[in-house]
Structures are given as C-alpha cells and as structure tokens.
Amino acid sequence: MDEWISATRCWSPSPSPDGTAIAFVWDGDGRPMVRLHRRRTGEEWSLDTGPDLVSTVRWSPDGNWLAVEAAPDGGERTCVLVVRPDGTDLRPVRGVGDDDRGAVSLDRWSHTGSVVAITESDYDTTTAWLVDVESDQRQRLGSGHALKILDVSRDRRRALLRRGRRGSRHVGIVDLDGTEGWHEIDSGRGPGGPPGAVEHPVAITRDSSVVAARFTPDGSRMLVLTDGGRERAALVAVDVATDARPMFPEVLAERVDAELEQFALTEDAATAALVWNVAGRSEVDLLDLTTGKPAPYSPPGDVVSSAIFSHDGDSLVLGIQSPDVPSAVWCHELSSRTTALICPQDDPAWAPGTLVHPTLETVSTPDGLALPGWLYRPPGTVGPLPTVIYLHGGPEAQERPVFTPLYQVLLRHGIAVYAANVRGSSGLGRSFVNADNGAGRFAAIRDVASCAEHLVAIGVADSERIGVMGRSYGGYLTLAALVNHPELFAVGVDVCGMADFETFFARTEPWIADAAVGEYGHPIHDRNLLRELSPVHRMDRLRAPLLVVHGRYDTNVPVHEAELAVHGAKAAGVDVRYLLFDDEGHEIQRLENRRTFIHAVTEWLTDHFDLS
C-alpha cells in the first residue's frame, strides 16, 4: 500500500512558447519542485529553485524565463521566483523591494516579453504589480481587498483585475497609462461606476462572483467566467471598448446541469476549452468562438484540474486525475486529435482495478437539501461497516473522484469512506455554496449528522463505529460535529482545523482573515455568533477519541488551534493523540510526512474501531 502513498504526482503544466517543452510541478523526489519535459525525445530534468515547496510554474511568452510560486516551509507567506530554463539566474520577484512581511502570488505573464503580474498581500490589503524581470521596472496597478490580475491587454494599455472577498469577487479595468483608474465591470449589464473610482468602485451586482476573465486580442471585449445573473457559472462576453456603451453580456456557454469551472483561451481567441463540473466529474468542450459551436473532448480521467493552450493553439495541456491514477499531465493535439501522457512517465506500480472507484451517494437533509458525496466501499464486503465521513476544506471546495491514497488504505483495512459535500461546497451552484454563510453554519454542522444517519439507514455504516475526519475547514467541521452530535461518532481526526473563530481571526494571516469575513462572519460585529459556532466552548461534550494533526508552519490555521483542541480533549477525559509535523504548513507535502500521516490515521481508526 505504500506504493499508493509514494506515487509520483505532476500538476500545473505550462508549455514553452515554441512548443518543444512543457514545464510542470513534480514530486518524484519527495517534495514538489519544477520539472521540464522535452516533447520530441521525452527527456526530463528538474530545476533547483531552492528548498521552498513549489506550487505553480509558468513559462514567459518570450521563452526566456520560468516564474515559480513557492511556499517556504509550506506556509502561507508564499514567494515568486524567476529562473532561466537552464536553471541559471534564479532570483525573487517583488513589487516593493525587500519587505517580506506578506505573501507574493503569481498571477500570470503578459502576452509578450518578460512582464510578470504578481500580487502582494500584507495585513488586510493586496497590491497588484507588473514587473519586467529583464529590466526590473515595476508598475503599481492599485490596492484593495484580495486583488488578482487576470489579464493584460496585448497593447499593454489596460489590465483586468479581480477584487473582493470570497463569494463576492468582481472584475474591473485599470488603465496602465495612469489616466483614469479603475472601471468596475458588471457581468450582468456592462461597465459601471464613475471614472476614477479606484478605492470604492460602484458595483451594480453584489451577490455574484467572477472567477476568471480574459481580453480578446483587440481589447474590445472580455470573456468572463461568472455566476452573475445565474445559479451556475457560465462564460459570457462583455463589450469593454473604451468608447462602448454599457451592454447586456452575450452568453457564450452555459449549462443547467453543470457549472463552468475554468476555461482556457488560445492566443488568437479563436477557441476556448471549457471545463465543466458535472456532479463532480469533468467534461470538456472545445468551443469555436467564431461559430459558437462546441466540440466535446473526452479527457483521459475523471477530473481536469487545469487546462492551458500552447502558443500556437494546437496543443491543449491538461492536469488530470482519477481515483486510481495520480495527478498527471497530458497533451492533446487538436490537429491530430491525439492525446499523450507527459508525466509521470512510469506506469502505476499496481494492477488495473486494484483501487476502488466510488459511487455517488446523495443524502437528504431535514430542510430538504440534497448533499451529494462519494461512497467508497471495501471490495467484497457488505454492511454495516466501520465508516469514516471525510469533510473537505474550503469551505468552498468539493469532494471529487480523485486519487486519494488515504481512502484506499482505509478501504484495505475494511473501513468504508463517505467523502461528503455538505452545504457550502462548490460545484453545485451559487445558492448551495452560500448556504452555510454566517448562521447557516449551524445547518452545515447538522449536515454531518445527516450523513451519518443516512449511511446507517441504507445499511452501509455500523452505527457503533462511525468516525468523522476533515482537514482545514473540514477539521473545524469535524470538531463541531463531535461536540454537537457526540452520540453519533465513535472516533475523530482533526487535521489543521479551527477550534475557536476568535483566536483564528486574531492569529491567522491578516489577508486570510479579511477574505474570510463574508464566509464566517465579522470577528467584532458577529462575535456572539462566532463564539456559539466555535467547538472550543463545547469540548466538555466531547466523547470520541481524537487525533489532532497539524503543521508547525501553518499560518492559515495557526498551530494554536490544534493546541486548543488537544487541551479541550484532555479536559474532557477522552483518548487524544497530537501529531505535529515540524516541517509542514497548512498541507502535508513531503512524501515521508504523507506516509507517516496516513499510517497514523489508519492505526488510530483501526484501533478505535477494534479492527487491529
């Protein structure tokens, strides 16, 4: 089973401008780093970008640079580095010199040359910058809440910026000559807000959110992925010519049964690759933007995590994974209609059919909401079984049929897994993702109990042996379920979860706290609500043995939250174990630590399910 845990993963692909090579992130040596693949020969080599854990790599349009986003010690204070493809001239990129108090994020490259777009988060403000890595010239585009640079026009006269907290993100245009400032664009009607309204732009629609946007080559229109004016995100086009009147957007692609999760655009804007989220699995359309006709493409896997076109538009490079195949990079050539695996080059070390594929299982809640989740059953078994309910982070994430070694190891030990999507999860429409905001979180906690009750009712779960486990927000929800419904759960595993919203808001990174206000509530104005929602104040009701896992360098959910959970569990008199990784942050990235984590969780659950 260790071969599942140690399987090589590849993600964040980026093709070189001349199409001869593909860069991606690869963890074949035990930690995420930059890897390059030469397409003609299959030759591969790694680049040394230092000890920091790499999350993203992007090739510059002139082919002279790779931009890398990395996390020192796996923490939240990320940095951006640039390096030549031959590994030389490695150096950091910042907008404000040597100040390293915040996080630097890699947004994108401009369409030509060596200008990279970055954003720097410090305290509760994000500042957007364009940096020419050749000349070291910098241009500040503005500051605000959670800014992200989505695109730069081909003539470098304007930039598209996204602004706003989680669930309410809007796109605006910044004139790069410094003459007019920010123009906010409403994807429901068109440009809005007075000229120069940089600090406080007027928004026409505040209950929608923009995911991504791109200029067309002539800069007259932008394509926007948004849920503005609709329940599920779609692709729309908005006229943004400087002399254009506000217009109702043209809907280019939408589905009533699926949410548009991401789109990739060729440089000439002739073709868009649309990645649809259909009940958790991915479907891909290649949309001809001239005729408006889509051509379906079947990806070689269940979930497409990324998509990017080569510079010439003939190759679509994809990040894909499935329950039995780790995250991999594939290249689809449109002209030949062939798809080839790029990374990993080695076949999996297990036979086909060895790993379990889940089935979609929907839970109904007392208030009538349908919660879709993925049920993994141990092969050759019938219920009732010891069962773990797994809760994802976010909350705006989604459990999907992807490669998860932890689940497969638990299945081999006779433990069923239900990977739940309680209210607040993404991929199921705007109403669903917002259903847990503020006081709606009480219903999300009740959703966990509904999952347990449903699994017992259908004969899957043994009512005396149900566990609950989650990471990040899922760790919070685990603690909340254990103290609000102690009669349902025999064991729990909290992985870097919040125990107390008051201390979380006080100790997390300021820009993370600022972005979370719309989701959880305001730490001052909603103090009483957040106190009532915090598990730390009900730990005396805890009855289940508790394993607490955390990374020492986690500054998203600081390690203090784990200490609160451990202290509360000890005071409640339950069996508690604390597993602290001294070289990890909010995620467990290093291979040896992933191995230790999975074995520790498996041992904890089998012991308390009396399976050892």
Side-chain angles (χ1 to χ4, degrees), residues 464-489:
E464 300 298 319
R465 293 188 293 176
I466 300 177
V468 61
M469 172 183 179
R471 194 193 72 82
S472 190
Y473 173 76
Y476 157 77
L477 210 53
T478 293
L479 294 174
L482 289 173
V483 300
N484 283 279
H485 302 282
E487 73 284 357
L488 291 178
F489 302 105

Side-chain angles (χ1 to χ4, degrees), residues 128-377:
W129 297 87
L130 294 179
V131 181
D132 189 321
V133 300
E134 293 281 2
S135 67
D136 211 32
Q137 291 184 333
R138 291 162 167 78
Q139 182 173 5
R140 183 182 180 274
L141 304 189
S143 297
H145 289 293
L147 282 185
K148 182 179 178 65
I149 303 173
L150 300 180
D151 200 9
V152 179
S153 63
R154 271 55 165 195
D155 60 11
R156 295 193 189 176
R157 295 179 59 190
R158 298 188 294 172
L160 289 175
L161 269 68
R162 190 182 72 189
R163 171 182 291 181
R165 296 184 174 101
R166 289 151 62 168
S168 182
R169 289 171 171 159
H170 301 269
V171 65
I173 295 176
V174 170
D175 294 312
L176 300 184
D177 60 8
T179 57
E180 296 197 35
W182 168 282
H183 307 274
E184 184 151 319
I185 305 300
D186 176 7
S187 57
R189 291 195 302 195
V198 180
E199 298 303 325
H200 303 285
V202 176
I204 301 171
T205 303
R206 280 293 179 190
D207 62 347
S208 63
S209 193
V210 168
V211 178
R214 289 279 300 274
F215 282 116
T216 55
D218 64 1
S220 64
R221 298 208 303 171
M222 71 174 184
L223 306 185
V224 190
L225 197 172
T226 179
D227 61 5
R230 51 189 44 80
E231 179 63 25
R232 294 180 181 266
L235 184 67
V236 302
V238 179
D239 194 336
V240 293
T242 54
D243 59 349
R245 294 181 179 180
M247 59 169 286
F248 193 82
E250 176 189 359
V251 178
L252 302 180
E254 66 177 337
R255 289 174 57 167
V256 296
D257 65 330
E259 192 157 84
L260 184 61
E261 191 166 35
Q262 57 180 300
F263 76 99
L265 192 65
T266 55
E267 278 296 309
D268 61 3
T271 305
L274 310 179
V275 180
W276 300 97
N277 185 331
V278 186
R281 290 190 168 93
S282 296
E283 294 182 6
V284 178
D285 284 333
L286 298 174
L287 178 66
D288 186 322
L289 290 169
T290 302
T291 66
K293 294 182 179 180
Y297 164 68
S298 297
D302 288 275
V303 177
V304 175
S305 57
S306 63
I308 184 171
F309 279 105
S310 60
H311 188 77
D312 63 5
D314 187 52
S315 296
L316 178 63
V317 184
L318 302 158
I320 300 176
Q321 58 178 314
S322 296
D324 57 349
V325 180
S327 180
V329 173
W330 294 77
C331 184
H332 175 69
E333 291 188 356
L334 277 65
S335 57
S336 64
R337 298 184 180 181
T338 59
T339 304
L341 177 65
I342 301 299
C343 170
Q345 294 183 322
D346 296 331
D347 292 331
W350 53 87
T354 300
L355 302 187
V356 173
H357 280 242
T359 57
L360 194 62
E361 181 69 31
T362 300
V363 175
S364 296
T365 68
D367 60 351
L369 202 61
L371 311 176
W374 297 96
L375 179 59
Y376 297 76
R377 299 174 186 255

Side-chain angles (χ1 to χ4, degrees), residues 398-413:
Q398 183 184 17
E399 275 292 334
R400 308 180 70 174
V402 296
F403 184 74
T404 313
L406 171 64
Y407 298 172
Q408 302 295 338
V409 173
L410 293 178
L411 292 167
R412 280 300 176 95
H413 285 81

